[in-house]
Amino acid sequence: MPPARLPAVTYMSAFILNLAALRAGLSRIEARAPAGELDLPVQEWPGWIQATIEVDRTGDLVSVLAHIHAVARLQCVRCLTDFEAPLEVDLRVLADRAGTGRGLEADLERDDYMKFHNGRQLDLRQETREALLLALPITPHCQETCLGLCLRCGADLNQGACGCAQPA
């Protein structure tokens, strides 16, 4: 049940907005889907992908601001340990009804200026997937103080000093 201080919340799954059910003006939607529904590998994205989405609908123009929460399973580049990292991502999408762009829809979508919908649904799965993938760290660390592996014997230095000869 949503907290009393928030406006009415609509729940949806799979990150596909049902535009016919949205009233004009501002709406708040809670969305959640398993990683597989967003074409993300389930073994690397445990749990649900969740979002709080604010949708502002003015006629056929739909403005979306989403705050997405997910957990990614990563491997530390220093010690090769698998760990889970929470991700918080913001996503903004502006969408108009197809046919209102005077033939420029393909160019505008390709350049990421705008997305188009059919008047019934607005599919945010691809944009959500891309936002999550772009939020992944390039060099993930299990912790900032990770010591990594010994360059000689490969021992995990986070577990203590290794047994190989130390340089003088």
Side-chain angles (χ1 to χ4, degrees), residues 39-108:
D39 289 329
L40 293 167
V42 177
Q43 62 277 14
E44 296 174 18
W45 296 88
W48 292 89
I49 311 297
Q50 301 180 72
T52 300
I53 305 171
E54 291 183 6
V55 181
D56 190 2
R57 183 173 183 185
T58 307
D60 287 330
L61 191 62
V62 180
S63 176
V64 175
L65 174 60
H67 182 74
I68 305 163
H69 173 75
V71 174
R73 186 169 291 129
L74 305 171
Q75 186 176 64
C76 179
V77 296
R78 292 180 183 161
C79 68
L80 305 180
T81 300
D82 291 335
F83 69 100
E84 291 185 356
L87 293 174
E88 300 286 331
V89 180
D90 287 328
L91 172 67
R92 292 180 189 270
V93 174
L94 183 61
D96 202 354
R97 188 172 183 144
T100 59
R102 293 181 277 293
L104 301 174
E105 285 95 346
D107 291 334
L108 290 171

Side-chain angles (χ1 to χ4, degrees), residues 4-147:
R5 61 183 167 79
L6 292 177
V9 175
T10 303
Y11 294 91
M12 62 175 242
S13 67
F15 291 82
I16 301 173
L17 295 176
N18 180 356
L19 297 177
L22 287 178
R23 67 188 195 303
L26 191 61
S27 300
R28 173 173 265 168
I29 299 169
E30 297 291 328
R32 65 184 238 160
E37 288 186 25
L38 300 174
D39 289 329
L40 293 167
V42 177
Q43 62 277 14
E44 296 174 18
W45 296 88
W48 292 89
I49 311 297
Q50 301 180 72
T52 300
I53 305 171
E54 291 183 6
V55 181
D56 190 2
R57 183 173 183 185
T58 307
D60 287 330
L61 191 62
V62 180
S63 176
V64 175
L65 174 60
H67 182 74
I68 305 163
H69 173 75
V71 174
R73 186 169 291 129
L74 305 171
Q75 186 176 64
C76 179
V77 296
R78 292 180 183 161
C79 68
L80 305 180
T81 300
D82 291 335
F83 69 100
E84 291 185 356
L87 293 174
E88 300 286 331
V89 180
D90 287 328
L91 172 67
R92 292 180 189 270
V93 174
L94 183 61
D96 202 354
R97 188 172 183 144
T100 59
R102 293 181 277 293
L104 301 174
E105 285 95 346
D107 291 334
L108 290 171
E109 274 195 342
R110 184 181 61 242
D111 292 336
D112 293 330
Y113 293 121
M114 183 173 280
K115 182 167 179 65
F116 290 90
H117 61 82
N118 61 9
R120 294 181 304 276
Q121 293 183 336
L122 176 59
D123 190 343
L124 299 174
R125 291 178 296 181
Q126 179 179 343
E127 288 76 15
T128 302
R129 178 183 185 277
E130 289 174 2
L132 288 169
L133 291 174
L134 288 172
L136 289 174
I138 294 171
T139 56
H141 301 107
C142 60
Q143 56 188 347
E144 284 303 313
T145 58
C146 178
L147 299 173

